[in-house]
């Protein structure tokens, strides 16, 4: 009987274009044996789920099967649990597991990148990083009503056209033109606007700008005219217009940009219904938890004591780095003591039985935490440091920075980086004060319009070229959490909730967030 099941599995996999390793086959068999009366359905369900995964190869091994089986068993557990229970409603996506999509400007659609993505990319990967960013925003702008070319010629006076021109086509042209490109410094002190056709030197001295930080590497839409010296004089300048999330999702035709798999209409409706009922769910987000500082640990214990005694405990605690008051660089020699401090944090959580049993704990590294380098995205904290903590809190989750969390249908992005200070330092033009003079609002406008968490020049903040897509914000998520050393702030921008929980070590601030209502509750000790 077992031999027949083996043949059945191998045949079904072959039809779908997969080949199978022995350990992968054993893993599938152990899953299928759970469903003695419905073996065919179980195999098909497993294969359907495999199709949705971004597999590195068509050869199926134990690891890839185990990943899918875990997802299916989680989903089964979710249906068995009551709607009020939130354990299965929260899914964490590590940045390095996010599928990569590229836009084809000729066929006008996205296609998923196949094959492996090496950490050390070739030179072409760096050029592809800028091209992919530009094309991602270009396809969004090309649907915006202000930039769509009219189907019929109309009177220019009554209907002024904002149609985009390529930079190459500006040569020899007179009059105002709209262009879109990346701000680049191709020569010291000389800034250029660059698209896929050419580059032109730009002059911002008379430019009227919109809200946001205009830095090198940001993509802008500019109106201006060519001067006789071959310089493009910018008159008005702004970021590419945003697109409604629902509109973006329609265009993407079922592609999974977030990394949690695509859902059927029925599943989405069911999750949306459960989400509406999850009014008691709360996330507690703390940034900068220095484990080597006794005062900080005492304050953290006070916070945990407070939440241990509330009627309904938080569904999720998000602890963002830095986890040490000193940068974990080459001169840092206290890894063993940091390991034991993580162990003490585990003991502290274990001493709160309701939190340990009913809450999830997510750990995201900070910019100065230990890791291979300061390049983004950063991988999860090393196992050496976290082993002691996991003995006390087995369900603790250690993820990358940035990382993504899906709560029923809601998509949230968590990013721990001192971004505000660096964006202000890198500004080429003083930000406009016409709409707001709040730097945090300028930061939120920049990252949402750029559809990128960190649009800084690569020499200011290096990014792994092949993994730049992990920092994309497209389609726009529901919530963006920007852990920063600056003061607590929240700003709802075009329906996106953005907030900074503040620095827990500096001023004892943190945030309690209710995802159901997207309500941000500032807290402090």
């Amino acid at each position: 009987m077992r031999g027949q099941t083996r043949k059945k599995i191998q045949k079904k996999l072959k039809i779908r274009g997969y080949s199978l390793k022995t350990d992968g086959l054993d893993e599938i068999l152990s899953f299928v044996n759970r469903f003695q009366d419905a073996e065919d359905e179980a195999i098909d369900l497993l294969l359907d789920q495999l199709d949705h995964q971004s597999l590195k190869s068509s050869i199926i091994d134990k690891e890839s099967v185990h990943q899918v089986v875990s997802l299916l068993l989680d989903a089964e557990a979710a249906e068995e649990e009551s709607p009020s229970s939130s354990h299965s409603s929260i899914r964490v996506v590590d940045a390095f597991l996010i599928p990569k999509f590229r836009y084809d400007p000729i066929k006008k659609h996205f296609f998923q990148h196949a094959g492996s993505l090496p950490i050390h990319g070739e030179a072409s990967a760096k050029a592809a990083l800028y091209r992919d960013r530009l094309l991602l925003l270009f396809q969004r702008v090309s649907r915006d009503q202000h930039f769509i070319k009219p189907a019929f010629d109309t009177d220019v006076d009554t209907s002024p056209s904002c149609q985009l021109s390529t930079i190459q086509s500006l040569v020899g042209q007179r009059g105002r033109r709209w262009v879109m490109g990346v701000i680049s410094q191709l020569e010291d002190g000389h800034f250029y606007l660059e698209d896929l056709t050419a580059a032109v030197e730009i002059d911002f001295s008379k430019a009227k700008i919109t809200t946001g930080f205009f830095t090198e590497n940001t993509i802008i839409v500019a109106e201006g005219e060519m001067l006789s010296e071959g310089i493009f004089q910018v008159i008005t300048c702004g970021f590419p217009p945003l697109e409604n999330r629902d509109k973006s999702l329609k265009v993407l035709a079922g592609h999974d940009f977030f990394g949690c798999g695509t859902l059927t209409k029925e599943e989405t409706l069911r999750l949306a219904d459960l989400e509406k009922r999850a009014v008691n769910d709360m996330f507690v987000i703390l940034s900068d938890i220095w484990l080597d500082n006794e005062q900080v640990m005492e304050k953290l214990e006070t916070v945990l004591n407070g939440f241990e005694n509330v009627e309904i405990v938080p569904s999720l605690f998000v602890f963002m780095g830095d986890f040490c008051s000193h940068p974990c660089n080459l001169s840092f020699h206290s890894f063993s003591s940091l390991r034991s401090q993580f162990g003490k944090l585990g003991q502290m959580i274990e001493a709160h039985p309701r939190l340990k049993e009913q809450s999830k704990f997510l750990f995201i590294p900070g910019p100065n935490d230990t890791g291979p380098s300061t390049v983004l995205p950063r991988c999860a904290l090393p196992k050496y440091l976290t082993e002691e903590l996991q003995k006390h809190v087995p369900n603790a989750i250690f993820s990358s920075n940035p990382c993504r969390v899906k709560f029923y249908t809601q998509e949230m992005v968590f990013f721990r980086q001192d971004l505000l200070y660096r964006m202000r330092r890198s500004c080429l033009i003083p930000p406009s004060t016409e709409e707001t003079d709040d730097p945090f609002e300028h930061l939120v406008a920049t990252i949402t319009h750029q559809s990128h968490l960190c649009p800084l020049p690569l020499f200011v903040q290096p990014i792994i070229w092949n993994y730049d897509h992990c920092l994309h914000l497209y389609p726009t998520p529901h919530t963006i959490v920007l852990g920063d050393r600056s003061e607590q702030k929240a700003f709802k921008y075009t329906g996106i909730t953005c907030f900074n929980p503040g620095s827990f070590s500096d001023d004892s601030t943190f945030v309690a967030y209710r995802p159901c209502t997207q309500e941000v509750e500032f807290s402090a000790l």
Side-chain angles (χ1 to χ4, degrees):
M1 190 71 181
R2 195 173 166 87
Q4 284 179 332
T5 310
R6 275 176 178 270
K7 282 177 184 173
K8 200 184 286 180
I9 291 167
Q10 286 169 327
K11 189 179 178 183
K12 283 180 181 271
L13 276 158
K14 199 172 182 182
I15 289 167
R16 297 200 189 205
Y18 296 122
S19 50
L20 196 58
K21 284 190 176 179
T22 313
D23 58 356
L25 179 59
D26 292 337
E27 191 76 3
I28 294 174
L29 271 170
S30 63
F31 171 74
V32 172
N33 287 340
R34 293 166 181 263
F35 311 94
Q36 294 289 341
D37 302 324
E39 281 187 352
D40 280 342
E41 289 83 350
I43 297 165
D44 289 338
L45 184 67
L46 187 77
L47 295 183
D48 288 343
Q49 194 64 40
L50 265 174
D51 287 342
H52 288 309
Q53 298 297 305
S54 49
L55 299 169
K56 292 175 183 172
S57 154
S58 62
I59 301 164
I60 306 298
D61 58 6
K62 184 179 179 178
E63 190 184 334
S64 48
V65 176
H66 183 71
Q67 213 174 353
V68 171
V69 168
S70 301
L71 285 175
L72 291 171
L73 295 178
D74 281 353
E76 188 189 18
E79 292 197 359
E80 288 170 7
E81 284 176 5
S82 62
S84 61
S85 176
S86 61
H87 280 259
S88 57
S89 62
I90 299 165
R91 286 179 62 188
V92 179
V93 185
D94 190 281
F96 292 93
L97 299 175
I98 295 167
K100 182 172 186 169
F101 289 90
R102 285 205 160 121
Y103 183 70
D104 186 330
I106 297 164
K107 293 180 180 175
K108 290 186 166 48
H109 72 79
F110 284 94
F111 64 93
Q112 189 168 349
H113 175 84
S116 61
L117 286 168
I119 295 291
H120 302 289
E122 296 176 1
S124 59
K126 187 180 182 183
L129 175 152
Y130 294 110
R131 188 173 63 245
D132 289 346
R133 282 192 203 177
L134 184 67
L135 287 173
L136 182 76
L137 296 189
F138 176 76
Q139 60 87 31
R140 196 179 79 192
V141 170
S142 62
R143 287 191 295 276
D144 189 273
Q145 58 181 6
H146 297 101
F147 294 96
I148 293 172
K149 185 181 177 182
F152 301 98
D153 289 333
T154 54
D155 185 3
V156 176
D157 296 329
T158 58
S159 175
S161 172
C162 295
Q163 191 191 339
L164 292 172
S165 304
T166 60
I167 290 172
Q168 195 175 45
S169 70
L170 295 177
V171 180
Q173 293 285 345
R174 286 281 170 263
R176 293 189 178 189
R177 290 283 185 276
W178 285 89
V179 290
M180 176 177 168
V182 184
I183 301 174
S184 307
Q185 191 174 186
L186 301 182
E187 299 171 31
D188 280 351
H190 294 266
F191 289 95
Y192 288 75
L193 196 62
E194 206 176 348
D195 69 3
L196 297 178
T197 63
V200 65
E201 192 172 345
I202 47 175
D203 180 3
F204 281 123
S205 59
K206 297 175 184 174
K208 187 185 179 209
I209 61 169
T210 57
T211 304
F213 294 125
F214 290 77
T215 69
E216 196 180 329
N217 276 24
T218 50
I219 295 164
I220 61 166
V221 175
E223 182 192 17
E225 54 187 328
M226 283 293 282
L227 304 177
S228 53
E229 307 93 90
I231 295 172
F232 187 72
Q233 177 78 60
V234 179
I235 299 159
T236 55
C237 166
F239 292 135
L242 269 176
E243 182 176 70
N244 180 285
R245 175 182 162 82
D246 293 333
K247 192 177 177 182
S248 300
L249 289 171
K250 278 180 189 171
V251 172
L252 297 178
H255 286 317
D256 170 34
F257 274 62
F258 196 74
C260 265
T262 50
L263 296 172
T264 62
K265 219 169 192 176
E266 292 77 16
E267 286 171 320
T268 307
L269 290 169
R270 187 179 70 83
L271 288 173
D273 183 50
L274 289 172
E275 191 183 305
K276 280 177 195 167
R277 288 187 263 167
V279 287
N280 293 319
D281 278 76
M282 182 168 72
F283 296 173
V284 177
I285 299 142
L286 304 95
S287 180
D288 264 351
I289 301 170
W290 294 345
L291 304 180
D292 59 340
N293 185 309
E294 280 184 30
Q295 286 178 313
V296 173
M297 293 302 276
E298 283 168 16
K299 288 176 193 170
L300 183 58
E301 187 153 29
T302 307
V303 171
L304 294 177
N305 287 338
F307 284 113
E308 172 74 10
N309 298 316
V310 294
E311 191 181 343
I312 299 170
V313 298
S315 330
L316 178 70
F317 281 88
V318 181
F319 292 155
M320 295 201 274
D322 298 330
F323 290 103
C324 187
S325 55
H326 307 290
C328 297
N329 51 26
L330 292 172
S331 62
F332 185 79
H333 300 297
S334 309
F335 290 107
S336 56
S337 65
L338 187 57
R339 174 187 162 97
S340 65
Q341 283 150 9
F342 268 105
K344 283 177 189 171
L345 174 60
Q347 288 171 351
M348 190 190 290
I349 294 168
E350 194 176 33
H352 300 83
R354 286 182 72 219
L355 296 182
K356 187 195 168 188
E357 292 302 317
Q358 297 172 43
S359 302
K360 282 191 171 185
F361 291 86
L362 171 61
F363 292 82
I364 298 168
N368 295 309
D369 278 321
T370 184
S373 71
T374 56
V375 70
L376 290 174
R378 291 182 69 103
C379 56
L381 290 163
K383 199 175 178 183
Y384 170 77
L385 291 180
T386 60
E387 269 176 337
E388 293 295 315
L389 186 147
Q390 275 198 301
K391 285 176 187 173
H392 302 288
V393 191
N395 64 345
I397 304 162
F398 297 92
S399 194
S400 59
N401 181 27
C403 107
R404 300 179 178 190
V405 171
K406 190 148 188 176
F407 174 76
Y408 292 113
T409 63
Q410 275 196 50
E411 294 179 356
M412 302 176 68
V413 174
F414 290 85
F415 185 42
R416 173 64 187 95
Q417 187 72 22
D418 297 325
L419 197 56
L420 187 58
Y421 169 76
R422 298 172 88 180
M423 288 293 280
R424 293 177 81 176
R425 281 288 305 266
S426 303
C427 249
L428 303 177
I429 319 166
S432 163
T433 53
E434 203 170 296
E435 290 178 16
T436 179
D437 55 2
D438 186 334
F440 186 72
E441 293 185 16
H442 280 288
L443 174 64
V444 170
T446 307
I447 65 169
T448 49
H449 281 274
Q450 293 294 309
S451 286
H452 199 280
L453 276 170
C454 192
L456 284 164
L458 293 186
F459 59 83
V460 176
Q461 175 54 65
I463 289 172
I464 303 172
W465 300 336
N466 279 323
Y467 286 86
D468 183 62
H469 66 283
C470 304
L471 282 83
H472 286 179
L473 295 171
Y474 182 80
T476 49
H478 297 89
T479 307
I480 303 169
V481 182
L482 297 169
D484 201 291
R485 291 295 290 273
S486 57
E487 63 176 320
Q488 270 185 332
K489 284 279 180 178
F491 180 45
K492 192 144 188 163
Y493 186 68
T494 62
I496 308 158
T497 305
C498 300
F499 62 88
N500 168 21
S503 174
F504 188 71
S505 296
D506 284 349
D507 47 23
S508 310
T509 55
F510 62 98
V511 157
Y513 178 65
R514 297 191 181 275
C516 186
T517 54
Q518 297 193 352
E519 181 190 333
V520 180
E521 190 183 307
F522 286 143
S523 308
L525 289 181

